[in-house]
Amino acid sequence: MSFEFIVRHTDRRSRVGEFSTPHGIVETPAFMAVGTLATVKALDPDDLRAMGAQMILANAYHLHLRPGDDVIRDLGGLHRFMGWDGPILTDSGGFQVFSLATLRTVDEKGVEFRSHIDGSRRVFTPESVMRIQRNLGADVIMQFDHVIPGQSNETTARDASERSIRWLARCAREFQTLTSEDDGTRPRQALFPIIQGGVHEHLRCEAVAAARAAGDWLGFAIGGLSVGEAKEEMYRILEVVDDSLPADRPRYLMGVGFPEDLVEGVRRGVDLFDCVAPTRMGRNGTVFTTDGRLNIKRAEYRLDPRPLDEGCKCAACSRFSRAYVRHLFVSDEILGLRLLSLHNVHFLVSLMSRARRALADGSFDAWSREWLARYHSRTQVPSA
Amino acid sequence: MSFEFIVRHTDRRSRVGEFSTPHGIVETPAFMAVGTLATVKALDPDDLRAMGAQMILANAYHLHLRPGDDVIRDLGGLHRFMGWDGPILTDSGGFQVFSLATLRTVDEKGVEFRSHIDGSRRVFTPESVMRIQRNLGADVIMQFDHVIPGQSNETTARDASERSIRWLARCAREFQTLTSEDDGTRPRQALFPIIQGGVHEHLRCEAVAAARAAGDWLGFAIGGLSVGEAKEEMYRILEVVDDSLPADRPRYLMGVGFPEDLVEGVRRGVDLFDCVAPTRMGRNGTVFTTDGRLNIKRAEYRLDPRPLDEGCKCAACSRFSRAYVRHLFVSDEILGLRLLSLHNVHFLVSLMSRARRALADGSFDAWSREWLARYHSRTQVPSA
């Protein structure tokens, strides 16, 4: 199967569609669970399939360091390595180079840094990052970009965004070279540009225009959001980007998010989301529910026979009480981490499934307003 | 269904049979996975069902402290609490009181100790331990016994064994009182005596005789083995106990064990085994294979595309390479702990299934000798 994106219905800015990849179709809007190190933390690929997860993420920076992208290539690529035959997207490592690695120096050529694991010296260039992602073999791969702190001033943001565009051209050339060497047995991959520009509307517009001028992309990623700016700023930028991106290509909002961010994102034309929040917060005892978040550690759940979220059909809620999950969590039992991660990822996956149904039957605007009102109605537990 | 034990075939000391409980039939010989805190560490009840696990264990001492046996009773009992509708056996906590708890004083009444979790003062008596196990509601429960170090001298061993017999009588009286109050809705339970006596053959014989004189038990547990004595001593004691126990009751060898111990135990008339080894060793990176143990951390497995154990049908081996499991393990990924635990428990569960087939078709003696020879043929990795 080759790449294709079909928009089935639209409702204001929102769309429901189908994104075809060599490893299957992704019904959009969709939440992608994050498997940084070729495993969605605490979950089994069977858990993901059972909950209806369609496409998952892995990370080029992390897998380059451990176990090595060459190891994964030699073992048949990421799909076989991690036992996931559905679509996979890899992030380029741009974000990790700038957030995890140390002693970083950036120049036009690329980024020199030290590994956060063993301090070893490494260099990432647009070209090397294409080769890494080629070795991994995900269906969708990201350009290498220059990531800056969320609240950077306009000069810094412009400089990084323009460099990212120049790096996009180099990524595209290297990707072209790599794929022209194909013997026909390697999976086809789609390269997405990453739109940067911070919270500066005109920089975002310029980035979209420059990316569009640089090629006919199969999709676009939106980077540099949910990095400390106010939610209202993120929503405003999403609308600006929605206005300037082509309607017939999927948009992937990187590293977002929380349940409410997904609904707000779909309202602003986003098709794909990813975030470590559901698994990370699960491992901290935070539970997503339709009435906001709850913290399973609280004593009030000690004898609570109800499921984590009433009405939820996940493999945790259909079998276990809050009291049991709390017992597992306070006793440091691994099953507790798995059940909480499973529930939270299922929550986002099924939230997007519900959004697709509402989009298909024309009720999305009303449904999403109601959903947001209920989610925000209870006092929320501060995030863990 | 009420309790019943039917021996289908025998071969020298070995037997294949069916142990019926209120929550289903256990085909014996069988390995029971240990779910100390109402969860088999790192596994899901669905994993256990899928691998053919029949009966699992939980622990009265641990569950009394966390979350409280009263909590579990109020939530409908252990089966419902932990989502396991098959047979469950609880250990009485005798072993834990003597191995985990601190500031212990023993007298004829019982044991006073401090919780290993919060130092709180507790008293276990034969009567209170019956009430705890009644609250938990497992199918098979254990008497409260006086456990001593493995290499104790004869005087100490005799003293503890005789006290355990006196406590057995008190357990039986309390159990009778509790069950006579039944309204018919509570699950029926079987109380097993625990045969003690250390490595002293005549003490073991006296313990069996005294236990048999004290009641008509639905099964017998053999305690105080695999606690530091030489393997040959354990095997000798098992033969002595086999000679004196009634043939028409199941025998449960407590806390044993390793793959080779299971085969040697079945050769000496044991029907039920339990041990934390498969999950604990799995969490340390040790893998059971038909050629002995291997340690997944070793660099030689970095690019190894083979499953953990070739020919194994478990949910880890049927999907993942040693290279992937090693990557998960060295990266501290939770899925690695689950896959290794899953494989090791599956290894023991299917080993007993294979033993039953050999017993049924009359080939057990030859099969077990061959199996042991192959298992011992390779230099083994020291246990983790």
Side-chain angles (χ1 to χ4, degrees), chain A residues 3 19 21-23 32 35 55-60 63 69 72-73 76-80 82 84-92 129-142 175 179 186-192:
Chain A
F3 291 96
F19 179 41
T21 79
H23 286 84
M32 302 180 287
M55 186 171 199
I56 63 174
L57 224 84
N59 190 278
L63 292 173
D69 48 282
I72 292 176
R73 177 200 60 208
L78 197 47
H79 293 84
R80 183 188 294 185
M82 67 186 294
W84 178 258
D85 57 4
I88 302 178
L89 182 153
T90 43
D91 190 7
S92 62
V129 167
M130 287 299 102
R131 291 192 292 269
I132 290 168
Q133 291 186 93
R134 188 75 184 152
N135 282 340
L136 297 175
D139 300 85
V140 176
I141 68 176
M142 294 293 121
F175 182 66
T179 51
R186 302 287 297 282
R188 280 160 298 170
Q189 299 181 293
L191 170 63
F192 281 19

Side-chain angles (χ1 to χ4, degrees), chain B residues 204-227:
Chain B
R204 290 282 178 176
C205 290
E206 288 171 28
V208 170
R212 294 184 69 172
D216 181 22
W217 312 104
L218 293 161
F220 293 83
I222 306 165
L225 289 175
S226 199
V227 288

Side-chain angles (χ1 to χ4, degrees), chain B residues 38-346:
Chain B
T39 167
V40 177
K41 287 193 194 299
L43 298 183
D44 187 294
D46 284 347
D47 296 329
L48 295 163
R49 265 184 285 272
M51 71 172 71
Q54 306 177 84
M55 185 169 199
I56 63 174
L57 225 85
N59 190 279
Y61 169 87
H62 287 280
L63 293 172
H64 170 70
L65 297 181
R66 266 194 320 204
D69 48 281
D70 53 336
V71 169
I72 292 178
R73 177 200 60 210
D74 291 351
L75 288 160
L78 197 48
H79 293 85
R80 183 188 293 185
F81 185 61
M82 68 186 294
W84 178 259
D85 56 6
I88 302 178
L89 181 154
T90 43
D91 189 8
S92 61
F95 184 79
Q96 286 69 33
V97 162
F98 289 95
S99 61
L100 288 177
T102 55
L103 292 175
R104 195 170 43 245
T105 57
V106 191
D107 62 18
E108 191 59 23
K109 182 169 181 298
V111 184
E112 187 177 322
F113 60 93
R114 287 186 187 276
S115 156
H116 74 287
I117 297 172
D118 60 6
S120 60
R121 234 177 150 79
R122 312 272 175 154
V123 176
F124 271 12
T125 65
E127 291 78 13
S128 73
V129 167
M130 287 299 101
R131 290 192 292 270
I132 291 170
Q133 291 187 92
R134 188 74 186 153
N135 282 341
L136 298 174
D139 301 85
V140 176
I141 68 176
M142 294 294 121
Q143 76 155 101
F144 187 55
D145 58 342
H146 183 173
V147 176
I148 53 170
Q151 299 292 32
S152 298
N153 66 32
E154 189 176 332
T155 309
T156 307
R158 178 183 296 278
D159 181 61
S161 180
E162 289 179 357
R163 174 167 295 123
S164 292
I165 292 291
R166 294 192 297 274
W167 284 1
L168 171 62
R170 285 168 54 192
C171 285
R173 273 194 300 277
E174 182 68 17
F175 182 65
Q176 177 78 44
T177 305
L178 292 169
T179 50
S180 70
E181 291 164 0
D182 273 10
D183 58 5
T185 65
R186 303 288 296 284
R188 279 158 301 167
Q189 298 180 295
L191 170 63
F192 281 18
I194 300 177
I195 303 303
Q196 292 287 1
V199 293
H200 310 282
E201 296 182 16
H202 60 287
L203 290 185
R204 290 282 178 176
C205 290
E206 288 171 28
V208 170
R212 294 184 69 172
D216 181 22
W217 312 104
L218 293 161
F220 293 83
I222 306 165
L225 289 175
S226 199
V227 288
E229 78 283 1
K231 294 241 175 190
E232 290 311 318
E233 281 192 303
M234 173 167 86
Y235 300 152
R236 180 172 52 80
I237 293 296
L238 286 180
E239 291 176 6
V240 167
V241 171
D242 175 47
D243 289 337
S244 53
L245 281 174
D248 60 351
R249 293 290 186 274
R251 296 92 173 261
Y252 156 40
L253 176 54
M254 304 181 81
V256 177
F258 295 107
E260 65 273 28
D261 294 335
L262 265 62
V263 175
E264 298 282 9
V266 173
R267 289 179 62 85
R268 289 161 179 85
V270 175
D271 305 298
L272 295 166
F273 302 86
D274 82 286
C275 194
V276 297
T279 46
R280 181 174 293 168
M281 295 179 79
R283 295 198 307 283
N284 288 330
T286 300
V287 183
F288 294 157
T289 85
T290 39
D291 296 304
R293 301 183 205 149
L294 64 81
N295 190 321
I296 201 67
K297 292 190 285 286
R298 293 169 67 105
E300 65 184 288
Y301 304 121
R302 186 163 163 269
L303 278 160
D304 194 333
R306 292 175 294 172
L308 297 173
D309 187 23
E310 289 179 285
C312 176
K313 309 274 187 228
C314 85
C317 290
S318 59
R319 296 182 296 159
F320 302 111
S321 61
R322 290 176 180 176
Y324 181 63
V325 178
R326 177 181 187 277
H327 161 65
L328 295 176
F329 194 83
V330 300
S331 303
D332 294 323
E333 286 287 351
I334 291 170
L335 180 59
L337 306 180
R338 173 148 169 273
L339 294 177
L340 289 166
S341 301
L342 193 156
H343 168 78
N344 282 351
V345 175
H346 177 276

Side-chain angles (χ1 to χ4, degrees), chain A residues 176-196:
Chain A
Q176 178 78 43
T177 305
L178 292 170
T179 51
S180 69
E181 292 163 359
D182 272 13
D183 59 3
T185 65
R186 302 287 297 282
R188 280 160 298 170
Q189 299 181 293
L191 170 63
F192 281 19
I194 300 176
I195 304 302
Q196 292 287 359

